[in-house]
Amino acid sequence: ENTLAVHGRFMAAGWNDSFDPRTPRSFSGFGYSSDGGRTWHDGGILPAATFDDQFFGDPNLTVDSDGNFFYASLYANPAITLGISVSRGRFVNDVLVFDPPVLTGLPGQADSFDKEWIANDPEDGTLYVSYTRFFDIGGDQIEVIRSRDHGRTWSAPVLVSDPATESVQG
């Protein structure tokens, strides 16, 4: 799985990375270009909030009109199975630098999220993330959340799938 976002000559790519020798272990890699894609640099892994946290892939990128890149990924720590994080990145001296992630919301203790997708509204910069919530007791639903402050805080989820429909993902 891979993703690409472009802002002028600046480009960011994300992918499921099955191995990174650095710790903590991460399955979300990224690369970047500051010359319109003529050359690329392997950025390694995203910075985690703590050493015990891990990125688990399913990357998705968007970029706003100010050149802020947002990388959504599956994310886990000892308290949650699979949640979603968003990391904001900016180019500094032609190098893409990401801030530590913000959890967009927490699944129930045994529930998990999957297949997140991030987009931004070019008119006002609002970020939207959709994902599938899988319930430990069975069933699933698609939810959407939003951020109006560059991903620092996120709204409560809004259900967008029919609760009577089974297997909504895909």
Side-chain angles (χ1 to χ4, degrees):
E1 297 173 9
N2 51 52
T3 182
L4 180 72
V6 178
H7 186 264
R9 65 183 175 98
F10 299 107
M11 305 174 84
W15 55 82
N16 282 353
D17 198 343
S18 61
F19 177 74
D20 192 306
R22 294 170 279 194
T23 56
R25 191 156 172 87
S26 174
F27 295 97
S28 297
F30 77 98
Y32 61 91
S33 173
S34 59
D35 60 10
R38 286 189 290 284
T39 59
W40 285 87
H41 306 279
D42 186 343
I45 61 175
L46 298 169
T50 72
F51 184 79
D52 291 331
D53 294 2
Q54 292 183 305
F55 293 94
F56 272 92
D58 282 1
N60 191 251
L61 279 162
T62 192
V63 61
D64 69 16
S65 59
D66 294 327
N68 294 297
F69 287 80
F70 297 92
Y71 190 123
S73 177
L74 294 177
Y75 196 77
N77 64 33
I80 60 171
T81 305
L82 276 182
I84 296 169
S85 67
V86 173
S87 301
R88 183 173 73 152
R90 292 168 309 286
F91 276 85
V92 178
N93 298 322
D94 290 345
V95 175
L96 182 56
V97 178
F98 280 99
D99 296 332
V102 172
L103 292 177
T104 62
L106 297 175
Q109 191 169 17
D111 297 346
S112 61
F113 296 162
D114 196 15
K115 300 301 180 210
E116 75 287 346
W117 194 266
I118 190 168
N120 73 300
D121 184 331
E123 294 295 318
D124 66 7
T126 300
L127 292 171
Y128 297 91
V129 172
S130 66
Y131 54 87
T132 304
R133 178 187 294 262
F134 288 95
F135 295 101
D136 180 50
I137 60 172
D140 55 356
Q141 63 189 32
I142 297 176
E143 299 173 347
V144 173
I145 55 177
R146 73 176 178 210
S147 172
R148 292 186 171 163
D149 60 5
H150 297 288
R152 287 185 283 278
T153 61
W154 292 88
S155 70
V158 174
L159 175 64
V160 295
S161 61
D162 182 346
T165 303
E166 288 290 325
S167 301
V168 296
Q169 183 165 301

